[in-house]
Amino acid sequence: MRYAILSDIHSNLVAFQAVLEHLETVGPFDQIWCLGDVVGYGPAPNECIELLRSFGHVCIAGNHDWAAVDKLDISTFNPEAADAALWTSRELLPHNQAYLQSLPSTLVRGDFTMAHGSPRDPIWEYVLSTGSATMAFESFAGPYCLIGHSHIPLLFQLNQGGTVSRQRFAPDRPTRLDGGRWLLNPGSVGQPRDGDPRASYVLYDAGSGECRHFRIAYDIPATQAEMRRLHLPPPLADRLSYGW
Ligand code: ZN
């Protein structure tokens, strides 16, 4: 079985379509595992939810998904994110609101726990440092945990002796899950924040245990033009050019 591990699509339909087109070139996959924030920031919330739901998939809730259906107080969002969350909640069709309402905050599939932020605090916590990863490793039972939220592709490994190592996911170089304990973040499809504006995702092959990380160029100006047409906050469109 092969799984496309996607996170933080953020209503960026053009980026999501580019990832799906790339997936066609690397062979069939069985299911999408989506780690939350399907919506928020971007211009196509309904289209992204409906495209995701056209595939076999599982999905967990992110903070922007909950904000869009009023399950979370947006007073902690920065002004642009809050504006976009309010816009998204007005745009969402009832069946897509119901879908976001239904998303669980964590899921377990085989050896994998999934949590948008962290297994300790699935909606809010960012896992960026070995310190936060160490606490995350204490908060799930199986060998592997998939996270999103930071929009930065990262791998953390729990070493024998209890130390945690942190590394970037290197594009196109497979990482083999070797039976140790790992925390993996595939990066963001729709709003990367590691200085590389290309869409980011991971393909996991359960047979070989290999995770392959890809960066996919997409038509960034097309998404930006749509955001401007819809009067979404300009900084949210600008940042797509920089991958930040
Ligand atoms: Zn996000």
Side-chain angles (χ1 to χ4, degrees), residues 74-108:
I74 61 168
S75 64
T76 54
F77 277 25
N78 67 50
E80 288 88 11
D83 279 359
L86 291 171
W87 178 88
T88 301
S89 67
R90 290 193 300 270
E91 286 291 309
L92 280 175
L93 297 170
H95 62 279
N96 290 329
Q97 287 178 356
Y99 173 77
L100 294 182
Q101 286 276 5
S102 75
L103 296 178
S105 57
T106 59
L107 266 181
V108 176

Side-chain angles (χ1 to χ4, degrees), residues 3-240:
Y3 302 93
I5 302 174
L6 315 184
S7 192
D8 297 275
I9 295 167
H10 279 298
S11 301
N12 190 337
L13 182 65
V14 182
F16 188 14
Q17 287 171 328
V19 163
L20 292 168
E21 283 167 20
H22 183 263
L23 274 162
E24 285 180 14
T25 70
V26 291
F29 66 93
D30 296 282
Q31 203 172 48
I32 293 174
W33 286 353
C34 178
L35 307 177
D37 280 4
V38 182
V39 303
Y41 296 129
N46 289 301
E47 294 85 347
C48 285
I49 293 170
E50 287 161 13
L51 184 55
L52 175 64
R53 295 186 73 185
S54 72
F55 291 89
H57 78 287
V58 296
C59 186
I60 53 174
N63 51 320
H64 286 261
D65 303 318
W66 273 13
V69 291
D70 219 13
K71 284 180 84 167
L72 174 149
D73 177 7
I74 61 168
S75 64
T76 54
F77 277 25
N78 67 50
E80 288 88 11
D83 279 359
L86 291 171
W87 178 88
T88 301
S89 67
R90 290 193 300 270
E91 286 291 309
L92 280 175
L93 297 170
H95 62 279
N96 290 329
Q97 287 178 356
Y99 173 77
L100 294 182
Q101 286 276 5
S102 75
L103 296 178
S105 57
T106 59
L107 266 181
V108 176
R109 282 290 180 276
D111 287 339
F112 291 83
T113 297
M114 304 179 205
H116 179 65
S118 80
R120 202 168 64 120
D121 180 355
I123 298 299
W124 281 117
E125 185 179 27
Y126 289 92
V127 179
L128 288 165
S129 68
T130 55
S132 53
T134 300
M135 289 186 281
F137 276 116
E138 294 168 1
S139 305
F140 67 98
Y144 313 129
C145 183
L146 303 173
I147 56 173
H149 194 39
S150 71
H151 300 202
I152 296 176
L154 285 172
L155 284 165
F156 296 93
Q157 186 175 19
L158 183 64
N159 304 308
Q160 284 183 344
T163 60
V164 171
S165 59
R166 174 189 189 273
Q167 55 187 293
R168 302 295 292 265
F169 245 129
D172 299 328
R173 194 182 72 208
T175 298
R176 189 179 297 277
L177 301 182
D178 57 2
R181 297 194 78 206
W182 296 78
L183 262 173
L184 303 93
N185 188 327
S188 169
V189 170
Q191 194 201 76
R193 292 182 193 158
D194 62 341
D196 182 339
R198 295 175 298 168
S200 181
Y201 84 97
V202 163
L203 182 64
Y204 168 63
D205 186 323
S208 66
E210 276 187 358
C211 287
R212 292 167 70 196
H213 175 226
F214 298 100
R215 297 309 288 255
I216 309 302
Y218 73 96
D219 188 351
I220 294 171
T223 294
Q224 291 170 321
E226 190 64 0
M227 292 173 76
R228 293 190 182 107
R229 186 182 74 79
L230 295 166
H231 304 292
L232 284 159
L236 297 180
D238 296 341
R239 68 187 300 175
L240 297 177

